[in-house]
Amino acid sequence: MSLQCTAHKQPNTLKKAFTCAFPQTVPIFAGFLFLGMTYGIYMHVSGFSFWYPMLMSLTIFAGSVEFVAVSLLLGAFRPIQALAVTLMLNARHLIYGISMLDRYRGTGIKKIYLIFGMCDESFSINYTAEIPEDVDRGWFMFFVTLLDHLYWFAGATLGGICGSFLHFNTEGLDFVMTAMFAVIFMEQWTKEKRHWDSLIGLGASFACLLIFGAERFMIPSMLAILALLTLLRGTLGKGGETV
């Protein structure tokens, strides 16, 4: 009897989690499909077959790195440079990881994919979403991550396949990603009970911008934010808001 109850409960648990997660990812679908197609088209016009963006979007799942990877693939083989660029572009995920330590606890084997698939958008949803009590938290975050991954994969693949039929000027499309980040930040700001972590990020970034300049402030600001949030983790985590 207990085995039958478990068998009936599992599909219902997955359905509830998926039903709750899907509406949260709809805005990401529009952005990822558009940007993914742009990336696929960019790969095509750079001389790559459609399976390059298809496989890269499936295994890398880091939009900014995938765009930069085009020039790395076309240039001379410099693995150290590629590693440094990748670390620089994705250094913010160190901060994301610290913020999600408690939320990923107890998710079992799903944690492996949650760590791999954590991007800016899935982090924002999983960090700020108010998950109903009757919805499994681990499966909710899993489906958010999986859906965002599939959106990007579909867009990149379609762009690579249809690239030969579409011709338009892609200049300025990178601003869409900037606008998306701004919206994500504002949404997280409105859902926070306190804003100390956001203010630390803004303050550290502005200070590093003044000290190092616009071309060199990114890495110092990421390191400063990481250090500050790590040192103040216990203090900022009090009062029900975990950093």
Side-chain angles (χ1 to χ4, degrees):
M1 178 64 69
S2 60
L3 292 178
Q4 291 179 348
C5 292
T6 303
H8 286 297
K9 182 179 178 182
Q10 184 70 358
N12 187 48
T13 300
L14 297 179
K15 182 179 179 181
K16 276 188 175 181
F18 180 85
T19 303
C20 185
F22 176 71
Q24 301 278 348
T25 66
V26 171
I28 309 302
F29 168 73
F32 270 20
L33 188 65
F34 179 71
L35 290 173
M37 289 188 66
T38 303
Y39 165 66
I41 293 171
Y42 179 49
M43 287 288 287
H44 173 79
V45 299
S46 299
F48 294 96
S49 175
F50 80 92
W51 59 268
Y52 273 88
M54 182 180 70
L55 292 180
M56 290 174 67
S57 62
L58 186 64
T59 57
I60 299 176
F61 190 36
S64 54
V65 173
E66 291 177 51
F67 274 97
V68 173
V70 178
S71 60
L72 294 176
L73 289 172
L74 292 174
F77 179 64
R78 297 187 179 94
I80 303 300
Q81 179 185 358
L83 176 62
V85 170
T86 302
L87 289 175
M88 181 180 67
L89 291 175
N90 286 333
R92 63 189 183 277
H93 289 113
L94 294 172
I95 300 173
Y96 295 168
I98 292 177
S99 302
M100 298 302 290
L101 285 175
D102 292 330
R103 297 176 186 272
Y104 283 173
R105 185 174 290 118
T107 55
I109 196 172
K110 294 186 291 295
K111 183 188 294 185
I112 298 175
Y113 180 71
L114 290 173
I115 294 173
F116 163 76
M118 184 175 63
C119 62
D120 304 284
E121 293 74 18
S122 60
F123 162 77
S124 177
I125 296 175
N126 288 331
Y127 185 81
T128 61
E130 298 180 1
I131 306 173
E133 294 184 0
D134 61 338
V135 174
D136 185 272
R137 178 176 55 87
W139 281 114
F140 172 87
M141 294 189 294
F142 175 84
F143 282 124
V144 167
T145 306
L146 177 64
L147 287 169
D148 288 348
H149 194 178
L150 291 177
Y151 298 155
W152 180 257
F153 169 75
T157 303
L158 287 174
I161 294 174
C162 302
S164 58
F165 308 106
L166 301 175
H167 302 281
F168 61 93
N169 187 3
T170 60
E171 184 178 357
L173 289 178
D174 52 346
F175 180 75
V176 176
M177 187 68 75
T178 303
M180 184 180 295
F181 289 160
V183 171
I184 290 172
F185 174 80
M186 292 306 299
E187 182 179 0
Q188 181 171 326
W189 176 278
T190 57
K191 291 184 178 181
E192 288 176 339
K193 296 179 181 178
R194 299 178 299 167
H195 304 295
W196 287 113
D197 49 350
S198 298
L199 292 174
I200 288 173
L202 291 173
S205 300
F206 183 70
C208 291
L209 177 62
L210 294 178
I211 296 172
F212 298 99
E215 296 183 356
R216 299 182 179 88
F217 86 102
M218 184 63 70
I219 296 299
S221 64
M222 291 292 103
L223 293 175
I225 294 171
L226 176 62
L228 289 171
L229 291 180
T230 302
L231 291 173
L232 300 175
R233 174 177 167 79
T235 303
L236 295 175
K238 294 178 180 180
E241 183 175 333
T242 303
V243 177

